[in-house]
Amino acid sequence: MNRFLTMLGLTAFLAGCGGPDHPPPAPDKAQLEVKLVAKANPDVHGPRSDSEDAYSSSGSNPEKGRCYERVDYDDMGDIAVWLRGGGLGEGGPVPATARLRVGDDGADHRLVLLGPKKRTQLTLENGTKKTLTLGCQGPKNDGFLATVPPGKEAVVTLSEPGVYEMTCDEDECLLVTLVVAPTSWAALGRSGSDVFFDNLPPGEFEVVVQAPRLPDVIRKVSARAGARSKVEAKVSVTCLESVK
Amino acid sequence: MTLFRRFIPWAAASALAVTALAWRPFADAAEDRGPAALTPVADTGSVAGKATFSVARPKQPIIVYLERDGGEIAGKKPEPLMIGQKGAQFNPSFAVVVTGQEVVFNNDEDKEIDHNVYTLGAEQKNFDIFPRGKSVHYNFSNAGEVSLYCSVHKLMDGKLFVAPSAAWAEIADDGSFSIPNIAPGAYTVRTYQKAKRFRDVELKVVVKAGETAKVPVEMTR
């Protein structure tokens, strides 16, 4: 019983603190917790029994099964979250480096998050046995074109905020979305987890969430000094206009 | 991804075949005037040229298309474009359609496999789940790039370029292009690249009856 009460008390304490993983906010700064939820179309059912064997990755034809690989909404990575709005300033957690490996099975990420003004160095690693030509061109004519020999790397940067599609001359199917956030207040997350921004200047912001192959989600948030704001972002195709 | 790659030649051939199918009504109407021929208009001109590239161009389509300054370009609506989904692949994986042209997403799987096709880009729509043997029909009304996805299958990607009119042509391997049967008037020439490597071009051109307006399309980075 004592143990139960202790646990109950501890739970209440942690709930009051807003969670065990993050420190309380500084008096003059705000915190923001973005909960990432990815949802499949609720009408999607599993493969029907007669197709499951032949078409699953572990079935009689795993090669074919690969084509039928399903989107795992419960474990979706490479979800970019960034903030926009006045007064954000510097100091955000956008990574200084990012890495993308291209192997025989394609790229190891579908989306890469970069900071603005060449803040993030993107290393392109060629894990194949042939030279790769990787490039992109953004909406404001910013871009790169890198020729990467087998087993080698190239480092590229982008300046203008926006969404770029990196393609490969040698592999028509390779497509990686490069998101250059407009501010340094940007981070990557996974479905079912939170992205946490600490020491945020108080103010009114928009939270933009972009998951690979899914429509953007935009949420308005008011971040107050000394407080933690929470927002849930649900990425799903169900937010699109339905056409029957 | 490996199988995906094996499908490329097949998908490319299919794309050509289906694109040719989409062009057929123009050929019927204009008889051997080229795939992008518009409905014949008396005393028309054409726009043609040769594109140059500052670096090697990717082996992916680059489209030249026209927009009429202050108006629309009349033309016969192409026949519907059928996009199959067998093997959890869009077939064709890329095509050019025209605003108002019907696109048919056909679940032609040979097994009982559902697809949930949706689009992002110039027009964002969810076509919801449809089982094998069913299809959905849609007319894209916004010009621009449309990405095709399936919410069930993670490798099922495709693209459409929705051209504002049938006045478009793909730049050939040697850089040449030709858009015939254009009514006289002022136009803007633009480019679309499936794999974006160059700055897109925007040029003004005046088409005169019986003449070919030569357009230098310089693709630079």
Side-chain angles (χ1 to χ4, degrees):
Chain A
M1 189 63 167
N2 281 347
R3 187 177 292 173
F4 173 73
L5 290 174
T6 306
M7 289 296 291
L8 195 66
L10 184 62
T11 305
F13 171 76
L14 291 175
C17 291
D21 298 327
H22 309 301
D28 60 337
K29 297 290 185 184
Q31 292 180 332
L32 174 62
E33 194 175 297
V34 182
K35 184 170 180 56
L36 301 176
V37 180
K39 286 281 183 194
N41 188 327
D43 294 330
V44 175
H45 305 294
R48 298 179 191 182
S49 56
D50 64 341
S51 61
E52 194 162 12
D53 287 338
Y55 285 79
S56 68
S57 299
S58 58
S60 59
N61 191 343
E63 180 94 327
K64 199 168 191 176
R66 183 78 204 275
C67 268
Y68 288 92
E69 194 173 333
R70 288 182 159 230
V71 180
D72 186 354
Y73 288 89
D74 294 329
D75 188 26
M76 180 180 283
D78 298 334
I79 301 178
V81 181
W82 73 92
L83 309 182
R84 63 187 182 198
L88 276 167
E90 300 294 326
V94 73
T97 60
R99 190 170 193 87
L100 182 75
R101 184 180 192 276
V102 179
D104 291 329
D105 284 338
D108 59 354
H109 293 283
R110 181 63 196 252
L111 182 149
V112 177
L113 176 66
L114 306 170
K117 299 174 186 171
K118 304 189 176 184
R119 187 186 296 267
T120 307
Q121 289 195 323
L122 171 60
T123 301
L124 304 169
E125 179 189 349
N126 182 356
T128 73
K129 291 186 170 64
K130 59 189 175 189
T131 296
L132 297 179
T133 309
L134 303 164
C136 67
Q137 188 75 24
K140 290 189 176 175
N141 290 329
D142 192 11
F144 62 79
L145 186 61
T147 302
V148 192
K152 301 288 185 186
E153 298 178 351
V155 177
V156 298
T157 56
L158 289 167
S159 185
E160 291 291 335
V163 178
Y164 300 70
E165 275 193 344
M166 193 197 78
T167 56
C168 176
D169 284 4
E170 293 75 20
D171 182 353
E172 191 182 339
C173 301
L174 193 139
L175 195 63
V176 178
T177 302
L178 307 178
V179 176
V180 181
T183 71
S184 65
W185 294 93
L188 281 172
R190 303 187 70 83
S191 60
S193 67
D194 300 332
V195 167
F196 185 71
F197 294 101
D198 198 5
N199 291 318
L200 192 62
E204 306 280 329
F205 307 116
E206 279 187 332
V207 182
V208 182
V209 178
Q210 185 169 15
R213 303 171 85 248
L214 286 170
D216 295 355
V217 174
I218 300 172
R219 293 276 180 273
K220 288 192 182 213
V221 65
S222 178
R224 289 179 293 110
R228 179 179 301 174
S229 304
K230 296 184 180 183
V231 61
E232 183 179 273
K234 188 187 291 181
V235 288
S236 172
V237 299
T238 55
C239 66
L240 296 173
E241 185 185 348
S242 184
V243 177
K244 288 283 188 184
Chain B
M1 193 64 85
T2 307
L3 182 61
F4 204 58
R5 285 199 185 92
R6 288 185 184 177
F7 269 94
I8 293 170
W10 169 77
S14 302
L16 285 171
V18 175
T19 307
L21 190 69
W23 279 334
R24 193 183 296 157
F26 301 121
D28 290 347
E31 290 187 2
D32 301 326
R33 291 189 182 184
L38 300 173
T39 301
V41 178
D43 302 323
T44 61
S46 61
V47 175
K50 194 155 187 172
T52 58
F53 303 91
S54 61
V55 295
R57 63 181 283 198
K59 295 184 185 76
Q60 297 205 41
I62 301 177
I63 306 297
V64 178
Y65 64 98
L66 303 183
E67 290 177 349
R68 185 159 196 170
D69 296 355
E72 292 186 351
I73 301 175
K76 190 177 175 183
K77 195 187 294 182
E79 286 187 349
L81 170 68
M82 181 84 77
I83 299 182
Q85 288 143 52
K86 197 171 186 176
Q89 307 285 316
F90 288 111
N91 176 28
S93 60
F94 174 75
V96 180
V97 297
V98 173
T99 49
Q101 179 181 353
E102 187 175 51
V103 177
V104 181
F105 295 100
N106 179 33
N107 186 342
D108 55 351
E109 292 282 7
D110 53 12
K111 295 274 186 178
E112 296 293 334
I113 290 172
D114 297 346
H115 290 301
N116 178 185
V117 175
Y118 65 99
T119 65
L120 297 180
E123 213 155 328
Q124 309 205 140
K125 303 288 178 188
N126 178 13
F127 298 103
D128 269 323
I129 299 291
F130 49 104
R132 179 174 74 106
K134 297 287 182 188
S135 58
V136 292
H137 300 235
Y138 189 71
N139 297 339
F140 289 94
S141 53
N142 297 341
E145 184 180 81
V146 173
S147 295
L148 310 177
Y149 301 111
C150 172
S151 79
V152 184
H153 301 104
K154 69 190 290 186
L155 300 177
M156 194 168 163
D157 294 358
K159 258 185 190 172
L160 294 176
F161 175 62
V162 183
S165 78
W168 64 270
E170 183 173 346
I171 296 177
D173 288 346
D174 67 355
S176 64
F177 64 90
S178 175
I179 307 174
N181 295 326
I182 304 299
Y187 295 85
T188 302
V189 180
R190 296 184 192 277
T191 53
Y192 162 79
Q193 307 161 67
K194 180 168 177 270
K196 291 166 183 57
R197 285 298 160 77
F198 305 97
R199 299 176 190 184
D200 272 316
V201 165
E202 180 182 325
L203 296 165
K204 296 290 183 187
V205 65
V206 174
V207 175
K208 295 177 180 171
E211 293 183 14
T212 296
K214 294 285 186 186
V215 180
V217 171
E218 296 175 0
M219 306 293 287
T220 60
R221 288 186 57 80

